C-alpha cells in the first residue's frame, strides 16, 4: 500500500476514534493500523497519521470556537507560548501513535527479504 | 544483527508508549493528565466550542411545570420567562450552572469545607477553619428549620435541581476549563450547597474580631487608652439616619498611653485565627481598609431633574473573574425582577422590579461574641461549666478527603449551647454568631421581589437576619427609605459585645434581638436623600445603644452627602459620575497638615519639594496625580509612627488620627524609640519625608511622571484560582483609598457592581460589573464589562415585559422531561 493514502486512512481513523472514545484510542488505532498496513516506515507513518488526525479535529474545533484565544489564555498557565500548546497537541498523538506502531510486529514486513 | 536491532527499537518504542500513556492518564507532577487535556475533540480545546451559547438551543430540565424560555440579550444576560415562579428558579439554577459551573462548585466547597476534595491537601487548613467555624452544622440546622413545603425550601430545591440537571447533561465537551486543568469533575449539588454559599458570604461580611484588637491595644497601652482608640462610637459622625448638625466630631478625649494590662495580654493571646487560610475567607480587617465596604444612596423625586426617585448602589467586594455577581431577569406571573444574583443563591440580591429598586451596604454590626469557657479536660473536653454545673459538649466528627477520596484528617468539633468551641493558646473560647443561626438568606429576597412599594419591600425583608445590611429602597411613588436590617443581639448589662464574656455564667448570654421597629431606619427624610457607606447608622446622641464597634471611617459618607446636598436637580448620569468620584475627604482633612508640617521645617529642601507636590494636588485620585501617590505613602508611614505604642497589626483608624491632628502636643505624637519628644508636625514631616524619599528611589523624580497614581497603583481582577493568564491585571485604578470608587492595597477589591435606577412610569436601570457573564475564559463575555467598568460607564439594562421585546443574541428553550 502506498504511504500517503495509508497515512490519510490512519488520520481519519484516529480522528473518528478520538471523537468517539477519547485520547487513549490513538495508540490502539495506530497499533492496529501498523499491524495490518504494509508500508515501509510504519512508525513515521503512524506518527504522521496521529498528528494529522488530531489536526483534523483541532481544525473542526477551531471552526466552532476561538481556539487561538483559548490557547493564548491557557498556555501561560504552563509557562509556554500559545503556539507551544498547539504544537504539543499535535506532537502528543504523533508520539503516541508512533510508539504504538513501533511496538507491534507488522503482519507483512517490507524488509522481510533483507532479513532472509 | 538486524533482528536484534529491531528488538531493541521495539523495546524502546514500548518504553516510550508506556511513558506517554502514563503521562496521558495520570499526569506528571503538577501537570494534569496530558491525554484528556490535549484531546482536541473532548479535551481542553472543546472549551472553545462552548465559549458562546448557541443562537438557538433546547435542553431538558426535568421537573418543569411548563417550558421556560430563556432569552439572552447582547450583554449575555439571561431573561427567564417561566409559567411559574418555581420554574423560574429551576431555570435560574440551570443557566447559572451553564455559565458559572466551576464558580458554583468552588464557592460551595469553600463554605462547606470540602476544598481539599477539589484542590488537594494544601487546602486542608482552610477546610479545617471552615468546619471549626461550624458551617456544616449550621447548614444542617438551617435546612432542618425550613419546612419542606415552604416556598423558600421549594425555591431552594428547584434551584438545586436546575444546577444538577445541567450537570447531568454535561457531556465530555462541556466541562469547564478549570476542571480540565485540575483533572477533576464537578460534584452534584445538594440542598446544603446554596446554604454554604450563603455562609461564605456571611463570613465575608459579618466576621469580626474587634474584641481582640481592643485587647491587644489594652495589653500595650492600658484599657482606658484602648477604649478611646477603638471606640464604640465613630468619633466622626455622618450617620445613615439623618440628624441635624452633621457631620460633626464627637468631643471625647484620647487619654495618654497607660501601663500595659497583663490580663488583657493574656486574653489577647487567645485571639482565634481568622478563617482566611484559603484566600476565600477574609483576614482581620485593616481599620482603614474600605473592604468589604459599599455605597448606596437614593434621592426623592423633588430633588431629581426628571421628578422620579433615583437609587444608586455599588457593593465593594473582592474582585474576581468570574465576578461574584451574575445578572438575570426572572419573569413569571406575579414576579418580574431584574438584578444581580450571587451564583449559588436562588434570589436576585440587588436590583429592581417594575415598582421598586433596592441595594445594600454592610451594616458592620457586632453580631459575633466570644465567651471564655471552663472545660473538664484541657485537651479533650467533654463538658463545660455554666452556673456552677457541668453541661455536656455536643461533638461531631469531621473527615477531610483528598480528590481521590482518601482520608486526609479527622477533627472532633465541640459546641456549647452558644456555638462552636475552639482552643487557642491553650484556652477554650466559644462563640455565638448570628450568621450560623440565620434562616435562609434567599427567602426574604424572594418575597421582596414581589413588592409594589418601598414599604412592602421593607416588610418583606423584616425577617432577614444575617449578614446585617443597610437596606436602601426607593419606589415609583417617590418613597425612599433605608433600614439597617438583621438580627442584632440584645446583651445583658451595658449591652456591649466588644469584650470577651465570662462563659461560666449564663447571665452573660444574649437575651434576645432588637425588634425591627428599633432597627436604625429612615423613611422619606426631610432632606430628600439618604446615603450609607458602612458608617455608624445612628448618631449616638440620638440613640446610644450598642450596635457595634467596627465602623468604617465616614470619608465616603461625607463625600456622598456633600454631593447630594449640593445638587437639588439630580440626574441618573450624575449618580453614575458620583459612583466613580475620586475626590478624597480624607485627603482634605490630612493633606493641609502634612503641607504645614513640611513648611514648618524651613530649609529642608526635600520637605519643601514634598509640600509643593501635595499643594499642587487637587486631592482627587486621578490617574496622573503624583500628589495622591505621595499622600497615600505618607499616610502609610504615619500610622506606625503615631501609634508606635501599639502593635502594627492593630492600629486605630484614620478617624482617630484625625482627632489627634487637632492636638499637636498630645503625647501620642511622641515616638517612644527616640530620646526627643516629638510633636504632631515632627511625625507628619518625618512621614512625608520618608514617603518622598522612598518614592524618589522607586520611581525617580516626581516631575518625570513616575509618581502618577495610575502608574504606582493598579487595579487587578484575579481569576478564582489566581491564574494570571485568566485574570485581568494591571488595570487603571478606579479611585483610591476611601474615595467613593475605592481602590487600595493589591487593587483587587472595589466596586463589584454599579447600578443606577430611575423609578419613572417605566423603570430604567443602568449597571455594570468588573467581569462578564460567562465563566468561560474563551468567551467574548468572560470580561466584556471590564472596559465600561474601568471607564466609569454604565450599560443600559434591558428589562423587557416579554421575550418578543428583546433582540436576542441567543435563546434557550428548557422543557421538562417527557
Amino acid at each position: 500500500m502506498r504511504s500517503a493514502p495509508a497515512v490519510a486512512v490512519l488520520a481519519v481513523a484516529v480522528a473518528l476514534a478520538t471523537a468517539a472514545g477519547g485520547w487513549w484510542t490513538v495508540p490502539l488505532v495506530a497499533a492496529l493500523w501498523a499491524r495490518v498496513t504494509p508500508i515501509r516506515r510504519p512508525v513515521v507513518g503512524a506518527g504522521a497519521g496521529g498528528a494529522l488526525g488530531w489536526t483534523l479535529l483541532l481544525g473542526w474545533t477551531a471552526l466552532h470556537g476561538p481556539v487561538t484565544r483559548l490557547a493564548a489564555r491557557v498556555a501561560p498557565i504552563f509557562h509556554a507560548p500559545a503556539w507551544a500548546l498547539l504544537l504539543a497537541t499535535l506532537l502528543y498523538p504523533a508520539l503516541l501513535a508512533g510508539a504504538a506502531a513501533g511496538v507491534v510486529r507488522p503482519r507483512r514486513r517490507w524488509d522481510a527479504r533483507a532479513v532472509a | 544483527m538486524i533482528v536484534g536491532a529491531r528488538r531493541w527499537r521495539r523495546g524502546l518504542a514500548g518504553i516510550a508508549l508506556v511513558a506517554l500513556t502514563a503521562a496521558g492518564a495520570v499526569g506528571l507532577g503538577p501537570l494534569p493528565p496530558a491525554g484528556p487535556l490535549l484531546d482536541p475533540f473532548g479535551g481542553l480545546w472543546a472549551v472553545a466550542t462552548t465559549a458562546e451559547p448557541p443562537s438557538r438551543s433546547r435542553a431538558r430540565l426535568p421537573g418543569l411545570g411548563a417550558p421556560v424560555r430563556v432569552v439572552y440579550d447582547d450583554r449575555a444576560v439571561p431573561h427567564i420567562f417561566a409559567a411559574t415562579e418555581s420554574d423560574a428558579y429551576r431555570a435560574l439554577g440551570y443557566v447559572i450552572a451553564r455559565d458559572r459551573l466551576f464558580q458554583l462548585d468552588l464557592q460551595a466547597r469553600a463554605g462547606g469545607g470540602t476544598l481539599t476534595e477539589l484542590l488537594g491537601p494544601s487546602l486542608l487548613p482552610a477546610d479545617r477553619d471552615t468546619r471549626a467555624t461550624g458551617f456544616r452544622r449550621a447548614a444542617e440546622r438551617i435546612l432542618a428549620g425550613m419546612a419542606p413545603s415552604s416556598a423558600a425550601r421549594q425555591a431552594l430545591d428547584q434551584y438545586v435541581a436546575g444546577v444538577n440537571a445541567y450537570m447531568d447533561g454535561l457531556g465530555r465537551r462541556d466541562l469547564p476549563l478549570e476542571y480540565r486543568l485540575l483533572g477533576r469533575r464537578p460534584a452534584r449539588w445538594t440542598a446544603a450547597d446554596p446554604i454554604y454559599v450563603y455562609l461564605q458570604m456571611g463570613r465575608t461580611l459579618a466576621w469580626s474580631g474587634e474584641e481582640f484588637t481592643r485587647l491587644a491595644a489594652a495589653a500595650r497601652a492600658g484599657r482606658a487608652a484602648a477604649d478611646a482608640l477603638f471606640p464604640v462610637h465613630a468619633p466622626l459622625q455622618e450617620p445613615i439616619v439623618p440628624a441635624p448638625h452633621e457631620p460633626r466630631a464627637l468631643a471625647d478625649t484620647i487619654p495618654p498611653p497607660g501601663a500595659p494590662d497583663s490580663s488583657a495580654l493574656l486574653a489577647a493571646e487567645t485571639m482565634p485565627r481568622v478563617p482566611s487560610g484559603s484566600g476565600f475567607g477574609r483576614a482581620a480587617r485593616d481599620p482603614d481598609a474600605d473592604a468589604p465596604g459599599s455605597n448606596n444612596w437614593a434621592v426623592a423625586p423633588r430633588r431629581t431633574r426628571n421628578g422620579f426617585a433615583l437609587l444608586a448602589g455599588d457593593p465593594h467586594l473582592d474582585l474576581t473573574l468570574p465576578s461574584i455577581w451574575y445578572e438575570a431577569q426572572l419573569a413569571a406571573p406575579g414576579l418580574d425582577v431584574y438584578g444581580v444574583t450571587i451564583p449559588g443563591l436562588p434570589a436576585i440580591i440587588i436590583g429592581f422590579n417594575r415598582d421598586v429598586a433596592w441595594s445594600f451596604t454592610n451594616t458592620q454590626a457586632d453580631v459575633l461574641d466570644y465567651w471564655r469557657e471552663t472545660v473538664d479536660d484541657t485537651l479533650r473536653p467533654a463538658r463545660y461549666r455554666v452556673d456552677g454545673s457541668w453541661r455536656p459538649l455536643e461533638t461531631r466528627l469531621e473527615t477531610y478527603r483528598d480528590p481521590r477520596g482518601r482520608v486526609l484528617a479527622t477533627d472532633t468539633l465541640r459546641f456549647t449551647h452558644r456555638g462552636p468551641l475552639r482552643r487557642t493558646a491553650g484556652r477554650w473560647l466559644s462563640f455565638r454568631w448570628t450568621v450560623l443561626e440565620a434562616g435562609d438568606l434567599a427567602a426574604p429576597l424572594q418575597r421582596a421581589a414581589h413588592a409594589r412599594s418601598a414599604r412592602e419591600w421593607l416588610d418583606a425583608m423584616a425577617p432577614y437576619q444575617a449578614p446585617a445590611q443597610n437596606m436602601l429602597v426607593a419606589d415609583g411613588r417617590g418613597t425612599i427609605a433605608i433600614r439597617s436590617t438583621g438580627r442584632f443581639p440584645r446583651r445583658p448589662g451595658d449591652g456591649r459585645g466588644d469584650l470577651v464574656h465570662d462563659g461560666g455564667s449564663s447571665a452573660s448570654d444574649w437575651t434576645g434581638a432588637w425588634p425591627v421597629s428599633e432597627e436604625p431606619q429612615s423613611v422619606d427624610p426631610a432632606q430628600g436623600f439618604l446615603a450609607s457607606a458602612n458608617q455608624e447608622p445612628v448618631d449616638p446622641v440620638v440613640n446610644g445603644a450598642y450596635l457595634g464597634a467596627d465602623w468604617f471611617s465616614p470619608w465616603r459618607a461625607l463625600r456622598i452627602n456633600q454631593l447630594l446636598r449640593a445638587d437639588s436637580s439630580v440626574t441618573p448620569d450624575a449618580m453614575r459620575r458620583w459612583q466613580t468620584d475620586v475626590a478624597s475627604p480624607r485627603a482634605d482633612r490630612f493633606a493641609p497638615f502634612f503641607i504645614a508640617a513640611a513648611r514648618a521645617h524651613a530649609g529642608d529642601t526635600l520637605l519643601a519639594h514634598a509640600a509643593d507636590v501635595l499643594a499642587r494636588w487637587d486631592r482627587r485620585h486621578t490617574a496622573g496625580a503624583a500628589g495622591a501617590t505621595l499622600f497615600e505613602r505618607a499616610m502609610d508611614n504615619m500610622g506606625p509612627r503615631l501609634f508606635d505604642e501599639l502593635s502594627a497589626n492593630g492600629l486605630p483608624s484614620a478617624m482617630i488620627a484625625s482627632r489627634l491632628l487637632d492636638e499637636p502636643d498630645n503625647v501620642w505624637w511622641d515616638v517612644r524609640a527616640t530620646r526627643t519628644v516629638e510633636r504632631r508636625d515632627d511625625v507628619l514631616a518625618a512621614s512625608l519625608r520618608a514617603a518622598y524619599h522612598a518614592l524618589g528611589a522607586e520611581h525617580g523624580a516626581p516631575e518625570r511622571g513616575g509618581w502618577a497614581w495610575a502608574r504606582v497603583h493598579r487595579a487587578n481582577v484575579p481569576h478564582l484560582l489566581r491564574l494570571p493568564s485568566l485574570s485581568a491585571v494591571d488595570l487603571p485604578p478606579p479611585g483610591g483609598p476611601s474615595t467613593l470608587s475605592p481602590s487600595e492595597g493589591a487593587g483587587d477589591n472595589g466596586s463589584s457592581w454599579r447600578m443606577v435606577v430611575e423609578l419613572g412610569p417605566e423603570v430604567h436601570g443602568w449597571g455594570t460589573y468588573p467581569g462578564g457573564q460567562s465563566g468561560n475564559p474563551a468567551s467574548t463575555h468572560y470580561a466584556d464589562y471590564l472596559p465600561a467598568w474601568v471607564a466609569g460607564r454604565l450599560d443600559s439594562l434591558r428589562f423587557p415585559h416579554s421575550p418578543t421585546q428583546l433582540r436576542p443574541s441567543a435563546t434557550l428553550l428548557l422543557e421538562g422531561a417527557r
Side-chain angles (χ1 to χ4, degrees), chain A residues 2 21-22 33-34 40 44 54 63 67 70 75 80 87 99 113 116:
Chain A
R2 293 169 68 98
W33 175 85
R40 183 173 295 275
V44 174
W54 278 28
L63 289 176
V67 161
L70 183 65
L87 184 65
R113 278 164 292 182

Side-chain angles (χ1 to χ4, degrees), chain B residues 645-675:
Chain B
E645 294 83 355
L646 308 177
S647 160
N649 295 325
L651 299 181
S653 75
M655 274 191 290
I656 302 298
S658 169
R659 289 283 317 282
L660 289 169
L661 285 178
D662 298 323
E663 301 174 41
D665 298 321
N666 192 302
V667 68
W668 281 97
W669 288 109
D670 181 35
V671 179
R672 287 185 309 170
T674 64
R675 290 186 178 175

Side-chain angles (χ1 to χ4, degrees), chain B residues 97-122:
Chain B
R98 187 160 101 150
D99 275 334
R100 302 280 188 89
L101 185 58
F102 180 74
Q103 181 184 24
L104 278 176
D105 193 11
L106 190 72
Q107 297 289 14
R109 287 182 178 283
T114 57
L115 287 169
T116 55
E117 294 173 16
L118 181 69
L119 301 173
S122 63

